[in-house]
Amino acid sequence: MRAERRVPCRGLALLVALALAAAYQLAGQDAVPTPAPAPAPTAAATTAQSDNAAAFKEFTVRVEDYLTLHKAIEKKLPAMKNKEELPEMIAAHQQALARMIREARPHARSGDIFTPAARGAFRHVIRGVFPDPQAAAHATSRQRDRAKEVRLRVNGIYPDAVAETTFPPTLLQKLPTLPDELAYRIVGRDLILVDTKANLVVDLVHEALP
Amino acid sequence: MRRCIFLFLGILTLLTVGLVADEFKFPIKADSVRFAAIGDMGTGEPPQYEVAQQMLKARQTFPFDFVIMLGDNIYGGSNPADFEQKFAVPYKPLLDAGVKFYASLGNHDNTNERFYHPFNMNGDSYYTYKKGNVRFFVLNSNYMDPKQLAWLETQLRDAGNGGWKICYFHHPLYSSGQFHGPSLDLRKLLEPLFIKYGVDVVFSGHDHVYERIRPQQGIYYFMEGASGELRPGNLAHTAITEKGFDSDRSFVLSEIAGDEMYFQTISRTGETVDSGVIHRTIR
């Protein structure tokens, strides 16, 4: 009797083990896709890269100009390189910095830093990473959802309570690196340049994403 | 036959639910590194406070010295009242006891949290620190620019192979969470460095569940995104899931002694939901 019982029990265990093993084989984590070999650059692509480089250089000069202004203004405020910072001090510093930067550039408008050439270059690079709306939407879905709640303008506060701070890392590798005081953000289909210490919108490119 | 099935299912349930783990004990060795990990906690809601109470209770028997914060530290704004309600008040007993907190930034965090002294970020959104034989690398996964990647590579290389290397940041490279899932773009950038320079363990949050991942390329991954927020039933339990818990909030305790890392994950109600030991292999 006992022998008769053991056989189905062992058989059941074996079946379960096989099923589990098969499940582990089949259900895999999303693999990192292997990139296709890059085609040789065409003459048009080389020209575009050269144009982008020139536009990014112009953008970087404008960023440096802004940074000089930012640093000059921040020097007038108590230093923030933390030791005993209280939330009140952080908020006060952020608000004072934003106010003083606004006062220093009262006529700031979209295009001051993202010049027309730079906008073209950013759009070109972004479309290289996200060739279609689906790819862009997949990478920035949360930011897109939030766009309905956020209205951004140059010299306005970047509303951290509702907006996401995450930026697609693959795209970030292709854009000009910014100083610590500034960061790129995406809200909806717009590319935003934010002063992170002042939490201020410095410039933006509408419909930068496909 | 029926008894056999019940017996088999019983053993399976014990292993799955982790009741065996309730007997887990930390060695609490003299020179060990002892810490807690919390993620996605800054809601200011009662469950966050209840998890904080469990942490305090756990510290009576497991005296951890510091807490690693896996991001989304302060949800919904960065006014002084937010810092109070979502950090200073719930963790006050731990702060008063001298427990240090080391924060990373999540997608809901204002980057100026890096200046908040109790977060010990010293004004930097990514930084490194050492405790005993463990080097911690705290990354800003919101903004993985070339500058941060270059910094990470330098730091990992300079750390050598003498001790543990633990990285933590908000977005998980591996996750079976159904809401967010793994950050594949980030994995492409970080995993090669982790492998090349022998990172041992990675902690992250973002998906509001707990998951311990089967070792990937020799690296152990923990996701603790439910120390305040929770998405009940959101864990898919895929082939990479070593252990998961998605029915309540939780936090992780860990002790590193020599080449062993002991860990125990505890729920809001004090139940042990996971535990084990990781042995460090020098790669």
Side-chain angles (χ1 to χ4, degrees):
Chain A
M1 277 301 278
R2 278 184 186 171
E4 283 173 9
R5 281 184 182 173
R6 271 181 204 149
V7 172
C9 188
R10 230 181 274 144
L12 177 69
L14 186 66
L15 271 174
V16 172
L18 283 172
L20 283 172
Y24 282 135
Q25 286 290 323
L26 287 171
Q29 179 75 349
D30 290 345
V32 176
T34 309
T42 61
T46 309
T47 308
Q49 279 174 6
S50 169
D51 290 348
N52 287 349
F56 283 154
K57 195 173 176 186
E58 184 183 47
F59 168 79
T60 304
V61 169
R62 302 284 179 113
V63 164
E64 283 167 3
D65 289 345
Y66 177 85
L67 188 63
T68 304
L69 174 76
H70 171 111
K71 285 184 171 170
I73 290 171
E74 198 173 16
K75 265 187 187 169
K76 297 173 187 169
L77 295 169
M80 264 269 280
K81 192 69 181 170
N82 112 327
K83 281 292 169 273
E84 290 294 333
E85 261 65 5
L86 298 169
E88 291 80 1
M89 293 163 70
I90 297 169
H93 186 98
Q94 185 178 297
Q95 287 160 12
L97 189 59
R99 190 188 70 244
M100 290 164 77
I101 290 172
R102 263 197 221 111
E103 286 168 3
R105 34 188 328 251
H107 306 298
R109 57 186 177 82
S110 175
D112 283 353
I113 295 175
F114 286 121
T115 61
R119 282 187 216 172
F122 274 95
R123 285 200 182 99
H124 183 256
V125 169
I126 290 169
R127 278 161 172 74
V129 176
F130 303 128
D132 54 64
Q134 286 78 17
H138 179 71
T140 60
S141 57
R142 298 272 295 161
Q143 288 95 322
R144 279 171 183 252
D145 292 345
R146 301 281 181 177
K148 296 163 196 157
E149 306 166 40
V150 183
R151 290 190 70 148
L152 296 176
R153 59 179 179 80
V154 173
N155 265 350
I157 293 296
Y158 185 81
D160 64 332
V162 289
E164 296 273 315
T165 56
T166 310
F167 198 89
T170 310
L171 176 57
L172 207 46
Q173 309 310 307
K174 311 248 182 205
L175 302 181
T177 302
L178 294 171
D180 290 342
E181 289 80 357
L182 293 167
Y184 300 110
R185 300 269 192 266
I186 288 173
V187 177
R189 292 175 57 204
D190 300 343
L191 176 69
I192 319 291
L193 184 66
V194 174
D195 184 318
T196 57
K197 278 190 169 178
N199 219 27
L200 196 70
V201 175
V202 176
D203 203 351
L204 46 85
V205 182
H206 289 296
E207 300 186 347
L209 277 79
Chain B
M1 175 67 180
R2 191 179 291 170
R3 204 187 302 162
C4 239
I5 293 171
F6 282 133
L7 184 68
F8 182 80
L9 289 175
I11 292 167
L12 203 65
T13 307
L14 276 174
L15 291 170
T16 310
V17 177
L19 293 180
V20 173
D22 273 339
E23 295 163 14
F24 185 80
K25 292 278 184 292
F26 286 103
I28 314 187
K29 292 186 179 169
D31 297 326
S32 64
V33 176
R34 295 188 290 270
F35 63 96
I38 53 176
D40 301 74
M41 56 285 180
T43 61
E45 300 292 328
Q48 181 190 8
Y49 283 65
E50 287 157 14
V51 168
Q53 280 301 312
Q54 280 298 340
M55 290 169 73
L56 190 65
K57 192 176 166 190
R59 196 168 179 269
Q60 290 167 6
T61 51
F62 177 66
F64 57 87
D65 300 310
F66 64 101
V67 178
I68 65 172
M69 299 168 71
L70 309 174
D72 285 357
N73 313 311
I74 309 283
Y75 282 100
S78 54
N79 293 317
D82 292 308
F83 283 88
E84 279 296 298
Q85 185 197 353
K86 297 164 188 175
F87 178 76
V89 175
Y91 305 113
K92 186 177 189 304
L94 292 170
L95 290 161
D96 288 347
V99 174
K100 291 189 100 180
F101 287 71
Y102 294 90
S104 61
L105 296 175
N107 53 306
H108 289 285
D109 290 315
N110 181 315
T111 49
N112 285 340
E113 284 177 24
R114 67 191 191 270
F115 296 106
Y116 182 48
H117 183 62
F119 283 180
N120 286 294
M121 300 176 79
N122 293 313
D124 299 316
S125 65
Y126 49 91
Y127 59 103
T128 176
Y129 61 96
K130 196 165 188 248
K131 300 276 185 184
N133 63 337
V134 187
R135 168 66 67 178
F136 290 89
F137 303 87
V138 189
L139 307 181
N140 178 9
S141 58
N142 290 317
Y143 204 77
M144 191 56 64
D145 65 356
K147 201 162 44 176
Q148 185 179 182
L149 275 176
W151 171 89
L152 176 63
E153 177 149 27
T154 304
Q155 295 298 324
L156 286 171
R157 188 180 55 228
D158 292 352
N161 284 324
W164 287 78
K165 288 178 185 164
I166 295 182
C167 286
Y168 66 93
F169 46 88
H170 188 61
H171 298 81
L173 302 194
Y174 292 91
S175 164
S176 304
Q178 296 177 75
F179 191 78
H180 290 299
S183 297
L184 298 177
D185 271 6
L186 199 62
R187 192 199 298 175
K188 260 191 269 186
L189 297 171
L190 292 180
E191 193 174 50
L193 293 178
F194 291 174
I195 294 167
K196 184 176 179 184
Y197 295 105
V199 169
D200 302 291
V201 181
V202 175
F203 286 89
S204 59
H206 200 40
D207 264 319
H208 296 163
V209 293
Y210 167 76
E211 185 178 24
R212 178 162 57 89
I213 307 287
R214 287 172 184 275
Q216 302 290 318
Q217 317 254 21
I219 301 167
Y220 292 84
Y221 290 87
F222 288 80
M223 182 171 71
E224 178 51 276
S227 304
E229 284 281 13
L230 177 70
R231 284 200 183 91
N234 198 246
L235 192 65
H237 291 275
T238 66
I240 61 158
T241 309
E242 188 77 68
K243 191 79 179 183
F245 181 65
D246 62 359
S247 58
D248 203 346
R249 279 82 176 172
S250 56
F251 64 99
V252 182
L253 296 174
S254 180
E255 176 175 9
I256 295 177
D259 286 335
E260 318 296 338
M261 175 177 151
Y262 303 81
F263 63 89
Q264 184 176 14
T265 305
I266 298 174
S267 77
R268 180 183 58 90
T269 56
E271 181 194 357
T272 295
V273 295
D274 189 17
S275 65
V277 186
I278 290 168
H279 184 81
R280 177 173 176 257
T281 48
I282 298 164
R283 284 174 283 129

